[in-house]
Amino acid sequence: MEINLPQSFQRNDTSPVKKISVTEHSLASNEATRPVASEERIQTLDMIRGFALLGILLMNILGFGIDGSVFSSVITGMQNNADFRTLQAIGVMFDGTMRGLFSMLFGAGMILFTLNKYQIPGGIPVVEYYYRRLLWLVLFGVINAYIALVW
């Protein structure tokens, strides 16, 4: 069986349409759902994602270590001490920047996720993979919020 890739997967030159040979065994084992191998990963994207995670950790580490009432005393107190300068530097350099960077990387990851899934005739649609992944992420987020905010 052969699968013709959609127009978005084709190159813009005059080469013929790329065809993928799929055996019945690979359809049965759902070859399209396997995790990305380490040699197929985009190393630069992984490094930027790690940098963004470390920045988010830096944003949140103060909240992990001290009580929330300390923030108001630092903000309303003397503005020439090291605590105020540190809080100010983290707010200016990391607060929105790392959250925005991580959000863009999430979007890029979702685009790469959908582009790497091929529509196999008779198989699960790519949209279903997308919504399954989003549902799992929402579930993990709700569990994380419950643990972090309620306990």
Side-chain angles (χ1 to χ4, degrees):
M1 170 190 307
E2 290 184 352
I3 298 174
N4 292 329
L5 293 178
Q7 187 67 28
S8 62
F9 288 112
Q10 297 176 17
R11 296 189 310 198
N12 290 333
D13 59 7
T14 58
S15 63
V17 175
K18 182 178 179 182
K19 296 186 178 192
I20 299 175
S21 175
V22 179
T23 63
E24 295 300 323
H25 175 70
S26 66
L27 284 175
S29 66
N30 255 345
E31 185 80 18
T33 61
R34 68 171 175 74
V36 176
S38 60
E39 60 270 356
E40 295 174 353
R41 295 192 62 86
I42 302 171
Q43 297 296 323
T44 307
L45 195 62
D46 287 341
M47 287 189 314
I48 295 171
R49 190 176 290 129
F51 178 72
L53 278 174
L54 286 175
I56 290 173
L57 174 66
L58 183 62
M59 282 177 8
N60 294 322
I61 205 159
L62 291 174
F64 295 153
I66 57 176
D67 188 26
S69 62
V70 175
F71 287 115
S72 62
S73 66
V74 169
I75 292 172
T76 58
M78 289 182 47
Q79 297 183 352
N80 288 334
N81 60 9
D83 291 336
F84 181 79
R85 295 286 182 210
T86 303
L87 190 61
Q88 187 180 32
I90 289 173
V92 169
M93 291 187 285
F94 294 100
D95 217 5
T97 307
M98 293 303 153
R99 219 179 359 251
L101 179 61
F102 198 69
S103 298
M104 286 189 288
L105 289 169
F106 175 78
M110 290 307 274
I111 289 172
L112 289 172
F113 176 77
T114 56
L115 286 178
N116 289 334
K117 300 290 181 203
Y118 299 109
Q119 182 66 41
I120 298 173
I124 299 174
V126 175
V127 174
E128 190 170 332
Y129 286 122
Y130 178 75
Y131 285 122
R132 280 185 192 178
R133 183 173 181 173
L134 285 180
L135 278 172
W136 278 108
L137 289 172
V138 166
L139 180 69
F140 288 137
V142 167
I143 291 170
N144 186 20
Y146 178 76
I147 291 172
L149 299 178
V150 176
W151 280 1

